[in-house]
PDB file of all heavy atoms in Angstrom:
ATOM      1  N   THR A 990     -18.004 -24.407  -0.256  1.00  0.00           N
ATOM      2  CA  THR A 990     -16.925 -25.347  -0.579  1.00  0.00           C
ATOM      3  C   THR A 990     -15.647 -24.977   0.170  1.00  0.00           C
ATOM      4  O   THR A 990     -14.968 -25.841   0.741  1.00  0.00           O
ATOM      5  CB  THR A 990     -16.660 -25.350  -2.101  1.00  0.00           C
ATOM      6  OG1 THR A 990     -17.843 -25.793  -2.776  1.00  0.00           O
ATOM      7  CG2 THR A 990     -15.512 -26.281  -2.455  1.00  0.00           C
ATOM      8  N   ALA A 991     -15.328 -23.674   0.190  1.00  0.00           N
ATOM      9  CA  ALA A 991     -14.142 -23.223   0.928  1.00  0.00           C
ATOM     10  C   ALA A 991     -14.292 -23.494   2.426  1.00  0.00           C
ATOM     11  O   ALA A 991     -13.330 -23.901   3.090  1.00  0.00           O
ATOM     12  CB  ALA A 991     -13.907 -21.731   0.674  1.00  0.00           C
ATOM     13  N   THR A 992     -15.507 -23.303   2.951  1.00  0.00           N
ATOM     14  CA  THR A 992     -15.762 -23.597   4.369  1.00  0.00           C
ATOM     15  C   THR A 992     -15.543 -25.074   4.659  1.00  0.00           C
ATOM     16  O   THR A 992     -14.959 -25.447   5.688  1.00  0.00           O
ATOM     17  CB  THR A 992     -17.203 -23.202   4.750  1.00  0.00           C
ATOM     18  OG1 THR A 992     -17.380 -21.802   4.517  1.00  0.00           O
ATOM     19  CG2 THR A 992     -17.488 -23.512   6.206  1.00  0.00           C
ATOM     20  N   ASN A 993     -15.991 -25.922   3.760  1.00  0.00           N
ATOM     21  CA  ASN A 993     -15.820 -27.370   3.903  1.00  0.00           C
ATOM     22  C   ASN A 993     -14.339 -27.741   3.977  1.00  0.00           C
ATOM     23  O   ASN A 993     -13.912 -28.515   4.840  1.00  0.00           O
ATOM     24  CB  ASN A 993     -16.489 -28.070   2.717  1.00  0.00           C
ATOM     25  CG  ASN A 993     -16.328 -29.573   2.761  1.00  0.00           C
ATOM     26  OD1 ASN A 993     -16.397 -30.204   3.805  1.00  0.00           O
ATOM     27  ND2 ASN A 993     -16.086 -30.169   1.594  1.00  0.00           N
ATOM     28  N   ILE A 994     -13.543 -27.156   3.089  1.00  0.00           N
ATOM     29  CA  ILE A 994     -12.104 -27.462   3.052  1.00  0.00           C
ATOM     30  C   ILE A 994     -11.429 -26.988   4.334  1.00  0.00           C
ATOM     31  O   ILE A 994     -10.635 -27.711   4.947  1.00  0.00           O
ATOM     32  CB  ILE A 994     -11.449 -26.825   1.811  1.00  0.00           C
ATOM     33  CG1 ILE A 994     -12.015 -27.457   0.535  1.00  0.00           C
ATOM     34  CG2 ILE A 994      -9.934 -26.984   1.849  1.00  0.00           C
ATOM     35  CD1 ILE A 994     -11.652 -26.720  -0.735  1.00  0.00           C
ATOM     36  N   ARG A 995     -11.762 -25.757   4.754  1.00  0.00           N
ATOM     37  CA  ARG A 995     -11.142 -25.210   5.961  1.00  0.00           C
ATOM     38  C   ARG A 995     -11.539 -26.000   7.211  1.00  0.00           C
ATOM     39  O   ARG A 995     -10.793 -26.052   8.188  1.00  0.00           O
ATOM     40  CB  ARG A 995     -11.531 -23.743   6.130  1.00  0.00           C
ATOM     41  CG  ARG A 995     -10.976 -22.827   5.034  1.00  0.00           C
ATOM     42  CD  ARG A 995     -11.195 -21.365   5.375  1.00  0.00           C
ATOM     43  NE  ARG A 995     -10.852 -20.503   4.253  1.00  0.00           N
ATOM     44  CZ  ARG A 995     -11.742 -19.829   3.530  1.00  0.00           C
ATOM     45  NH1 ARG A 995     -13.034 -19.929   3.811  1.00  0.00           N
ATOM     46  NH2 ARG A 995     -11.359 -19.068   2.532  1.00  0.00           N
ATOM     47  N   ALA A 996     -12.733 -26.625   7.164  1.00  0.00           N
ATOM     48  CA  ALA A 996     -13.191 -27.414   8.311  1.00  0.00           C
ATOM     49  C   ALA A 996     -12.628 -28.834   8.303  1.00  0.00           C
ATOM     50  O   ALA A 996     -12.911 -29.604   9.222  1.00  0.00           O
ATOM     51  CB  ALA A 996     -14.710 -27.463   8.342  1.00  0.00           C
ATOM     52  N   GLY A 997     -11.868 -29.171   7.261  1.00  0.00           N
ATOM     53  CA  GLY A 997     -11.224 -30.481   7.224  1.00  0.00           C
ATOM     54  C   GLY A 997     -11.860 -31.495   6.305  1.00  0.00           C
ATOM     55  O   GLY A 997     -11.465 -32.670   6.304  1.00  0.00           O
ATOM     56  N   GLY A 998     -12.846 -31.076   5.492  1.00  0.00           N
ATOM     57  CA  GLY A 998     -13.481 -31.999   4.561  1.00  0.00           C
ATOM     58  C   GLY A 998     -12.511 -32.442   3.470  1.00  0.00           C
ATOM     59  O   GLY A 998     -11.845 -31.610   2.865  1.00  0.00           O
ATOM     60  N   LYS A 999     -12.446 -33.737   3.227  1.00  0.00           N
ATOM     61  CA  LYS A 999     -11.498 -34.268   2.236  1.00  0.00           C
ATOM     62  C   LYS A 999     -12.148 -35.165   1.197  1.00  0.00           C
ATOM     63  O   LYS A 999     -11.559 -35.441   0.167  1.00  0.00           O
ATOM     64  CB  LYS A 999     -10.379 -35.052   2.943  1.00  0.00           C
ATOM     65  CG  LYS A 999      -9.440 -34.187   3.772  1.00  0.00           C
ATOM     66  CD  LYS A 999      -8.339 -35.031   4.420  1.00  0.00           C
ATOM     67  CE  LYS A 999      -7.294 -34.149   5.096  1.00  0.00           C
ATOM     68  NZ  LYS A 999      -7.864 -33.340   6.182  1.00  0.00           N
ATOM     69  N   THR A1000     -13.352 -35.648   1.477  1.00  0.00           N
ATOM     70  CA  THR A1000     -14.031 -36.554   0.557  1.00  0.00           C
ATOM     71  C   THR A1000     -15.480 -36.109   0.377  1.00  0.00           C
ATOM     72  O   THR A1000     -15.979 -35.267   1.136  1.00  0.00           O
ATOM     73  CB  THR A1000     -14.013 -38.006   1.095  1.00  0.00           C
ATOM     74  OG1 THR A1000     -14.938 -38.093   2.202  1.00  0.00           O
ATOM     75  CG2 THR A1000     -12.621 -38.425   1.558  1.00  0.00           C
ATOM     76  N   PRO A1001     -16.193 -36.687  -0.610  1.00  0.00           N
ATOM     77  CA  PRO A1001     -17.612 -36.338  -0.807  1.00  0.00           C
ATOM     78  C   PRO A1001     -18.504 -36.645   0.384  1.00  0.00           C
ATOM     79  O   PRO A1001     -19.629 -36.151   0.454  1.00  0.00           O
ATOM     80  CB  PRO A1001     -18.002 -37.194  -2.017  1.00  0.00           C
ATOM     81  CG  PRO A1001     -16.735 -37.433  -2.754  1.00  0.00           C
ATOM     82  CD  PRO A1001     -15.679 -37.548  -1.697  1.00  0.00           C
ATOM     83  N   VAL A1002     -18.007 -37.443   1.331  1.00  0.00           N
ATOM     84  CA  VAL A1002     -18.804 -37.770   2.525  1.00  0.00           C
ATOM     85  C   VAL A1002     -19.214 -36.498   3.265  1.00  0.00           C
ATOM     86  O   VAL A1002     -20.330 -36.398   3.788  1.00  0.00           O
ATOM     87  CB  VAL A1002     -18.015 -38.715   3.452  1.00  0.00           C
ATOM     88  CG1 VAL A1002     -18.734 -38.890   4.791  1.00  0.00           C
ATOM     89  CG2 VAL A1002     -17.810 -40.070   2.780  1.00  0.00           C
ATOM     90  N   ALA A1003     -18.337 -35.499   3.303  1.00  0.00           N
ATOM     91  CA  ALA A1003     -18.653 -34.241   3.992  1.00  0.00           C
ATOM     92  C   ALA A1003     -19.875 -33.578   3.369  1.00  0.00           C
ATOM     93  O   ALA A1003     -20.768 -33.092   4.076  1.00  0.00           O
ATOM     94  CB  ALA A1003     -17.454 -33.303   3.961  1.00  0.00           C
ATOM     95  N   GLY A1004     -19.935 -33.568   2.042  1.00  0.00           N
ATOM     96  CA  GLY A1004     -21.080 -32.972   1.362  1.00  0.00           C
ATOM     97  C   GLY A1004     -22.358 -33.746   1.597  1.00  0.00           C
ATOM     98  O   GLY A1004     -23.445 -33.155   1.746  1.00  0.00           O
ATOM     99  N   LEU A1005     -22.257 -35.077   1.645  1.00  0.00           N
ATOM    100  CA  LEU A1005     -23.432 -35.900   1.916  1.00  0.00           C
ATOM    101  C   LEU A1005     -23.958 -35.638   3.329  1.00  0.00           C
ATOM    102  O   LEU A1005     -25.174 -35.516   3.542  1.00  0.00           O
ATOM    103  CB  LEU A1005     -23.081 -37.381   1.747  1.00  0.00           C
ATOM    104  CG  LEU A1005     -22.575 -37.812   0.357  1.00  0.00           C
ATOM    105  CD1 LEU A1005     -22.203 -39.287   0.367  1.00  0.00           C
ATOM    106  CD2 LEU A1005     -23.629 -37.532  -0.711  1.00  0.00           C
ATOM    107  N   ILE A1006     -23.044 -35.534   4.288  1.00  0.00           N
ATOM    108  CA  ILE A1006     -23.448 -35.279   5.675  1.00  0.00           C
ATOM    109  C   ILE A1006     -24.042 -33.876   5.806  1.00  0.00           C
ATOM    110  O   ILE A1006     -24.990 -33.657   6.567  1.00  0.00           O
ATOM    111  CB  ILE A1006     -22.248 -35.483   6.622  1.00  0.00           C
ATOM    112  CG1 ILE A1006     -21.911 -36.979   6.693  1.00  0.00           C
ATOM    113  CG2 ILE A1006     -22.536 -34.931   8.019  1.00  0.00           C
ATOM    114  CD1 ILE A1006     -20.699 -37.314   7.519  1.00  0.00           C
ATOM    115  N   HIS A1007     -23.504 -32.919   5.049  1.00  0.00           N
ATOM    116  CA  HIS A1007     -24.060 -31.557   5.048  1.00  0.00           C
ATOM    117  C   HIS A1007     -25.535 -31.589   4.641  1.00  0.00           C
ATOM    118  O   HIS A1007     -26.391 -30.967   5.285  1.00  0.00           O
ATOM    119  CB  HIS A1007     -23.210 -30.674   4.118  1.00  0.00           C
ATOM    120  CG  HIS A1007     -23.984 -29.786   3.194  1.00  0.00           C
ATOM    121  ND1 HIS A1007     -24.334 -30.197   1.916  1.00  0.00           N
ATOM    122  CD2 HIS A1007     -24.461 -28.530   3.333  1.00  0.00           C
ATOM    123  CE1 HIS A1007     -25.008 -29.228   1.325  1.00  0.00           C
ATOM    124  NE2 HIS A1007     -25.091 -28.213   2.145  1.00  0.00           N
ATOM    125  N   ALA A1008     -25.862 -32.340   3.578  1.00  0.00           N
ATOM    126  CA  ALA A1008     -27.250 -32.422   3.122  1.00  0.00           C
ATOM    127  C   ALA A1008     -28.128 -33.147   4.141  1.00  0.00           C
ATOM    128  O   ALA A1008     -29.254 -32.716   4.424  1.00  0.00           O
ATOM    129  CB  ALA A1008     -27.306 -33.135   1.769  1.00  0.00           C
ATOM    130  N   LEU A1009     -27.616 -34.224   4.704  1.00  0.00           N
ATOM    131  CA  LEU A1009     -28.382 -34.993   5.690  1.00  0.00           C
ATOM    132  C   LEU A1009     -28.630 -34.191   6.968  1.00  0.00           C
ATOM    133  O   LEU A1009     -29.687 -34.298   7.589  1.00  0.00           O
ATOM    134  CB  LEU A1009     -27.652 -36.299   6.011  1.00  0.00           C
ATOM    135  CG  LEU A1009     -27.580 -37.318   4.866  1.00  0.00           C
ATOM    136  CD1 LEU A1009     -26.703 -38.500   5.259  1.00  0.00           C
ATOM    137  CD2 LEU A1009     -28.975 -37.789   4.469  1.00  0.00           C
ATOM    138  N   THR A1010     -27.638 -33.364   7.357  1.00  0.00           N
ATOM    139  CA  THR A1010     -27.796 -32.537   8.548  1.00  0.00           C
ATOM    140  C   THR A1010     -28.917 -31.517   8.367  1.00  0.00           C
ATOM    141  O   THR A1010     -29.742 -31.310   9.267  1.00  0.00           O
ATOM    142  CB  THR A1010     -26.476 -31.803   8.877  1.00  0.00           C
ATOM    143  OG1 THR A1010     -25.436 -32.763   9.073  1.00  0.00           O
ATOM    144  CG2 THR A1010     -26.622 -30.949  10.117  1.00  0.00           C
ATOM    145  N   ILE A1011     -28.958 -30.887   7.188  1.00  0.00           N
ATOM    146  CA  ILE A1011     -30.037 -29.926   6.913  1.00  0.00           C
ATOM    147  C   ILE A1011     -31.381 -30.641   6.922  1.00  0.00           C
ATOM    148  O   ILE A1011     -32.388 -30.102   7.427  1.00  0.00           O
ATOM    149  CB  ILE A1011     -29.791 -29.220   5.562  1.00  0.00           C
ATOM    150  CG1 ILE A1011     -28.519 -28.369   5.636  1.00  0.00           C
ATOM    151  CG2 ILE A1011     -30.986 -28.335   5.196  1.00  0.00           C
ATOM    152  CD1 ILE A1011     -28.132 -27.718   4.324  1.00  0.00           C
ATOM    153  N   MET A1012     -31.441 -31.868   6.406  1.00  0.00           N
ATOM    154  CA  MET A1012     -32.687 -32.624   6.409  1.00  0.00           C
ATOM    155  C   MET A1012     -33.134 -32.933   7.843  1.00  0.00           C
ATOM    156  O   MET A1012     -34.323 -32.831   8.170  1.00  0.00           O
ATOM    157  CB  MET A1012     -32.540 -33.917   5.614  1.00  0.00           C
ATOM    158  CG  MET A1012     -33.850 -34.689   5.493  1.00  0.00           C
ATOM    159  SD  MET A1012     -33.776 -36.098   4.372  1.00  0.00           S
ATOM    160  CE  MET A1012     -32.754 -37.206   5.328  1.00  0.00           C
ATOM    161  N   ILE A1013     -32.184 -33.292   8.697  1.00  0.00           N
ATOM    162  CA  ILE A1013     -32.516 -33.579  10.102  1.00  0.00           C
ATOM    163  C   ILE A1013     -33.069 -32.332  10.787  1.00  0.00           C
ATOM    164  O   ILE A1013     -34.054 -32.394  11.538  1.00  0.00           O
ATOM    165  CB  ILE A1013     -31.275 -34.114  10.841  1.00  0.00           C
ATOM    166  CG1 ILE A1013     -30.926 -35.516  10.321  1.00  0.00           C
ATOM    167  CG2 ILE A1013     -31.505 -34.155  12.349  1.00  0.00           C
ATOM    168  CD1 ILE A1013     -29.598 -36.036  10.803  1.00  0.00           C
ATOM    169  N   VAL A1014     -32.443 -31.169  10.521  1.00  0.00           N
ATOM    170  CA  VAL A1014     -32.946 -29.905  11.092  1.00  0.00           C
ATOM    171  C   VAL A1014     -34.368 -29.644  10.597  1.00  0.00           C
ATOM    172  O   VAL A1014     -35.251 -29.237  11.364  1.00  0.00           O
ATOM    173  CB  VAL A1014     -32.012 -28.737  10.716  1.00  0.00           C
ATOM    174  CG1 VAL A1014     -32.641 -27.406  11.124  1.00  0.00           C
ATOM    175  CG2 VAL A1014     -30.651 -28.901  11.377  1.00  0.00           C
ATOM    176  N   MET A1015     -34.595 -29.891   9.302  1.00  0.00           N
ATOM    177  CA  MET A1015     -35.928 -29.676   8.730  1.00  0.00           C
ATOM    178  C   MET A1015     -36.964 -30.600   9.376  1.00  0.00           C
ATOM    179  O   MET A1015     -38.094 -30.187   9.675  1.00  0.00           O
ATOM    180  CB  MET A1015     -35.890 -29.923   7.220  1.00  0.00           C
ATOM    181  CG  MET A1015     -37.195 -29.635   6.492  1.00  0.00           C
ATOM    182  SD  MET A1015     -37.029 -29.960   4.724  1.00  0.00           S
ATOM    183  CE  MET A1015     -38.569 -29.285   4.108  1.00  0.00           C
ATOM    184  N   LEU A1016     -36.574 -31.836   9.634  1.00  0.00           N
ATOM    185  CA  LEU A1016     -37.493 -32.816  10.202  1.00  0.00           C
ATOM    186  C   LEU A1016     -37.791 -32.552  11.673  1.00  0.00           C
ATOM    187  O   LEU A1016     -38.920 -32.735  12.133  1.00  0.00           O
ATOM    188  CB  LEU A1016     -36.923 -34.230  10.042  1.00  0.00           C
ATOM    189  CG  LEU A1016     -36.751 -34.759   8.610  1.00  0.00           C
ATOM    190  CD1 LEU A1016     -36.103 -36.135   8.629  1.00  0.00           C
ATOM    191  CD2 LEU A1016     -38.079 -34.807   7.876  1.00  0.00           C
ATOM    192  N   LEU A1017     -36.778 -32.105  12.421  1.00  0.00           N
ATOM    193  CA  LEU A1017     -36.890 -32.029  13.876  1.00  0.00           C
ATOM    194  C   LEU A1017     -37.017 -30.618  14.437  1.00  0.00           C
ATOM    195  O   LEU A1017     -37.485 -30.449  15.567  1.00  0.00           O
ATOM    196  CB  LEU A1017     -35.685 -32.728  14.536  1.00  0.00           C
ATOM    197  CG  LEU A1017     -35.453 -34.202  14.174  1.00  0.00           C
ATOM    198  CD1 LEU A1017     -34.230 -34.738  14.894  1.00  0.00           C
ATOM    199  CD2 LEU A1017     -36.692 -35.037  14.503  1.00  0.00           C
ATOM    200  N   ALA A1018     -36.557 -29.618  13.693  1.00  0.00           N
ATOM    201  CA  ALA A1018     -36.498 -28.263  14.275  1.00  0.00           C
ATOM    202  C   ALA A1018     -37.041 -27.199  13.342  1.00  0.00           C
ATOM    203  O   ALA A1018     -36.598 -26.048  13.375  1.00  0.00           O
ATOM    204  CB  ALA A1018     -35.048 -27.942  14.664  1.00  0.00           C
ATOM    205  N   SER A1019     -38.000 -27.546  12.496  1.00  0.00           N
ATOM    206  CA  SER A1019     -38.524 -26.562  11.538  1.00  0.00           C
ATOM    207  C   SER A1019     -39.202 -25.386  12.241  1.00  0.00           C
ATOM    208  O   SER A1019     -39.141 -24.249  11.775  1.00  0.00           O
ATOM    209  CB  SER A1019     -39.497 -27.235  10.569  1.00  0.00           C
ATOM    210  OG  SER A1019     -40.594 -27.788  11.272  1.00  0.00           O
ATOM    211  N   LYS A1020     -39.854 -25.639  13.396  1.00  0.00           N
ATOM    212  CA  LYS A1020     -40.504 -24.540  14.129  1.00  0.00           C
ATOM    213  C   LYS A1020     -39.475 -23.563  14.676  1.00  0.00           C
ATOM    214  O   LYS A1020     -39.673 -22.345  14.671  1.00  0.00           O
ATOM    215  CB  LYS A1020     -41.360 -25.100  15.264  1.00  0.00           C
ATOM    216  CG  LYS A1020     -42.656 -25.738  14.789  1.00  0.00           C
ATOM    217  CD  LYS A1020     -43.599 -26.005  15.945  1.00  0.00           C
ATOM    218  CE  LYS A1020     -44.938 -26.530  15.421  1.00  0.00           C
ATOM    219  NZ  LYS A1020     -45.893 -26.795  16.516  1.00  0.00           N
ATOM    220  N   LEU A1021     -38.344 -24.097  15.119  1.00  0.00           N
ATOM    221  CA  LEU A1021     -37.268 -23.246  15.631  1.00  0.00           C
ATOM    222  C   LEU A1021     -36.697 -22.376  14.518  1.00  0.00           C
ATOM    223  O   LEU A1021     -36.414 -21.189  14.712  1.00  0.00           O
ATOM    224  CB  LEU A1021     -36.168 -24.118  16.238  1.00  0.00           C
ATOM    225  CG  LEU A1021     -35.194 -23.457  17.217  1.00  0.00           C
ATOM    226  CD1 LEU A1021     -35.929 -22.880  18.409  1.00  0.00           C
ATOM    227  CD2 LEU A1021     -34.132 -24.452  17.653  1.00  0.00           C
ATOM    228  N   VAL A1022     -36.536 -22.961  13.339  1.00  0.00           N
ATOM    229  CA  VAL A1022     -36.029 -22.218  12.184  1.00  0.00           C
ATOM    230  C   VAL A1022     -36.977 -21.078  11.828  1.00  0.00           C
ATOM    231  O   VAL A1022     -36.548 -20.005  11.382  1.00  0.00           O
ATOM    232  CB  VAL A1022     -35.829 -23.166  10.977  1.00  0.00           C
ATOM    233  CG1 VAL A1022     -35.479 -22.382   9.717  1.00  0.00           C
ATOM    234  CG2 VAL A1022     -34.744 -24.193  11.273  1.00  0.00           C
ATOM    235  N   GLY A1023     -38.267 -21.283  12.038  1.00  0.00           N
ATOM    236  CA  GLY A1023     -39.254 -20.256  11.717  1.00  0.00           C
ATOM    237  C   GLY A1023     -39.108 -18.980  12.521  1.00  0.00           C
ATOM    238  O   GLY A1023     -39.634 -17.932  12.137  1.00  0.00           O
ATOM    239  N   TYR A1024     -38.377 -19.019  13.639  1.00  0.00           N
ATOM    240  CA  TYR A1024     -38.164 -17.821  14.454  1.00  0.00           C
ATOM    241  C   TYR A1024     -37.090 -16.896  13.876  1.00  0.00           C
ATOM    242  O   TYR A1024     -36.873 -15.806  14.408  1.00  0.00           O
ATOM    243  CB  TYR A1024     -37.759 -18.215  15.875  1.00  0.00           C
ATOM    244  CG  TYR A1024     -38.905 -18.739  16.712  1.00  0.00           C
ATOM    245  CD1 TYR A1024     -38.982 -20.075  17.071  1.00  0.00           C
ATOM    246  CD2 TYR A1024     -39.914 -17.890  17.145  1.00  0.00           C
ATOM    247  CE1 TYR A1024     -40.036 -20.567  17.836  1.00  0.00           C
ATOM    248  CE2 TYR A1024     -40.977 -18.362  17.915  1.00  0.00           C
ATOM    249  CZ  TYR A1024     -41.023 -19.704  18.245  1.00  0.00           C
ATOM    250  OH  TYR A1024     -42.073 -20.172  18.997  1.00  0.00           O
ATOM    251  N   MET A1025     -36.385 -17.325  12.830  1.00  0.00           N
ATOM    252  CA  MET A1025     -35.335 -16.465  12.249  1.00  0.00           C
ATOM    253  C   MET A1025     -35.943 -15.152  11.760  1.00  0.00           C
ATOM    254  O   MET A1025     -36.959 -15.144  11.059  1.00  0.00           O
ATOM    255  CB  MET A1025     -34.641 -17.175  11.095  1.00  0.00           C
ATOM    256  CG  MET A1025     -33.725 -18.293  11.530  1.00  0.00           C
ATOM    257  SD  MET A1025     -32.765 -18.972  10.148  1.00  0.00           S
ATOM    258  CE  MET A1025     -31.759 -20.183  11.018  1.00  0.00           C
ATOM    259  N   ALA A1026     -35.309 -14.046  12.126  1.00  0.00           N
ATOM    260  CA  ALA A1026     -35.836 -12.717  11.801  1.00  0.00           C
ATOM    261  C   ALA A1026     -35.492 -12.329  10.373  1.00  0.00           C
ATOM    262  O   ALA A1026     -34.376 -12.566   9.906  1.00  0.00           O
ATOM    263  CB  ALA A1026     -35.277 -11.687  12.777  1.00  0.00           C
ATOM    264  N   MET A1027     -36.449 -11.736   9.677  1.00  0.00           N
ATOM    265  CA  MET A1027     -36.230 -11.328   8.287  1.00  0.00           C
ATOM    266  C   MET A1027     -35.113 -10.288   8.146  1.00  0.00           C
ATOM    267  O   MET A1027     -34.298 -10.391   7.225  1.00  0.00           O
ATOM    268  CB  MET A1027     -37.543 -10.780   7.701  1.00  0.00           C
ATOM    269  CG  MET A1027     -38.666 -11.806   7.618  1.00  0.00           C
ATOM    270  SD  MET A1027     -38.247 -13.232   6.600  1.00  0.00           S
ATOM    271  CE  MET A1027     -38.037 -12.448   5.013  1.00  0.00           C
ATOM    272  N   PRO A1028     -35.000  -9.265   9.029  1.00  0.00           N
ATOM    273  CA  PRO A1028     -33.877  -8.332   8.893  1.00  0.00           C
ATOM    274  C   PRO A1028     -32.519  -9.014   9.081  1.00  0.00           C
ATOM    275  O   PRO A1028     -31.529  -8.602   8.468  1.00  0.00           O
ATOM    276  CB  PRO A1028     -34.137  -7.303  10.004  1.00  0.00           C
ATOM    277  CG  PRO A1028     -35.575  -7.422  10.318  1.00  0.00           C
ATOM    278  CD  PRO A1028     -35.917  -8.853  10.089  1.00  0.00           C
ATOM    279  N   ALA A1029     -32.476 -10.056   9.928  1.00  0.00           N
ATOM    280  CA  ALA A1029     -31.221 -10.791  10.125  1.00  0.00           C
ATOM    281  C   ALA A1029     -30.809 -11.501   8.846  1.00  0.00           C
ATOM    282  O   ALA A1029     -29.636 -11.479   8.446  1.00  0.00           O
ATOM    283  CB  ALA A1029     -31.377 -11.793  11.268  1.00  0.00           C
ATOM    284  N   LEU A1030     -31.779 -12.135   8.167  1.00  0.00           N
ATOM    285  CA  LEU A1030     -31.482 -12.812   6.904  1.00  0.00           C
ATOM    286  C   LEU A1030     -31.119 -11.798   5.816  1.00  0.00           C
ATOM    287  O   LEU A1030     -30.270 -12.064   4.967  1.00  0.00           O
ATOM    288  CB  LEU A1030     -32.684 -13.653   6.470  1.00  0.00           C
ATOM    289  CG  LEU A1030     -33.005 -14.853   7.366  1.00  0.00           C
ATOM    290  CD1 LEU A1030     -34.275 -15.557   6.875  1.00  0.00           C
ATOM    291  CD2 LEU A1030     -31.847 -15.840   7.412  1.00  0.00           C
ATOM    292  N   ALA A1031     -31.762 -10.622   5.860  1.00  0.00           N
ATOM    293  CA  ALA A1031     -31.428  -9.570   4.892  1.00  0.00           C
ATOM    294  C   ALA A1031     -29.990  -9.096   5.090  1.00  0.00           C
ATOM    295  O   ALA A1031     -29.238  -8.928   4.122  1.00  0.00           O
ATOM    296  CB  ALA A1031     -32.401  -8.397   5.038  1.00  0.00           C
ATOM    297  N   GLY A1032     -29.600  -8.892   6.344  1.00  0.00           N
ATOM    298  CA  GLY A1032     -28.221  -8.494   6.626  1.00  0.00           C
ATOM    299  C   GLY A1032     -27.232  -9.550   6.168  1.00  0.00           C
ATOM    300  O   GLY A1032     -26.170  -9.233   5.615  1.00  0.00           O
ATOM    301  N   LEU A1033     -27.577 -10.821   6.379  1.00  0.00           N
ATOM    302  CA  LEU A1033     -26.731 -11.921   5.921  1.00  0.00           C
ATOM    303  C   LEU A1033     -26.540 -11.881   4.416  1.00  0.00           C
ATOM    304  O   LEU A1033     -25.414 -12.025   3.906  1.00  0.00           O
ATOM    305  CB  LEU A1033     -27.380 -13.250   6.346  1.00  0.00           C
ATOM    306  CG  LEU A1033     -26.901 -14.537   5.664  1.00  0.00           C
ATOM    307  CD1 LEU A1033     -25.429 -14.771   5.938  1.00  0.00           C
ATOM    308  CD2 LEU A1033     -27.735 -15.717   6.115  1.00  0.00           C
ATOM    309  N   LEU A1034     -27.622 -11.651   3.666  1.00  0.00           N
ATOM    310  CA  LEU A1034     -27.523 -11.630   2.206  1.00  0.00           C
ATOM    311  C   LEU A1034     -26.768 -10.404   1.695  1.00  0.00           C
ATOM    312  O   LEU A1034     -26.050 -10.484   0.700  1.00  0.00           O
ATOM    313  CB  LEU A1034     -28.916 -11.664   1.580  1.00  0.00           C
ATOM    314  CG  LEU A1034     -29.479 -13.055   1.258  1.00  0.00           C
ATOM    315  CD1 LEU A1034     -30.779 -12.919   0.477  1.00  0.00           C
ATOM    316  CD2 LEU A1034     -28.498 -13.892   0.467  1.00  0.00           C
ATOM    317  N   ILE A1035     -26.919  -9.281   2.376  1.00  0.00           N
ATOM    318  CA  ILE A1035     -26.173  -8.087   1.955  1.00  0.00           C
ATOM    319  C   ILE A1035     -24.670  -8.313   2.122  1.00  0.00           C
ATOM    320  O   ILE A1035     -23.868  -7.949   1.249  1.00  0.00           O
ATOM    321  CB  ILE A1035     -26.646  -6.850   2.748  1.00  0.00           C
ATOM    322  CG1 ILE A1035     -28.041  -6.439   2.276  1.00  0.00           C
ATOM    323  CG2 ILE A1035     -25.674  -5.681   2.585  1.00  0.00           C
ATOM    324  CD1 ILE A1035     -28.690  -5.350   3.101  1.00  0.00           C
TER     325      ILE A1035
END
């Protein structure tokens, strides 16, 4: 939410586009997402 505000989001449209963008990535680039390394995601969560 803070990232959205800092990026200039002012209405719920930003949140709707955020969800639609993730859906487009899932539909078109799921194989690319599969290359993400597990230690990289672990570092992100830490």
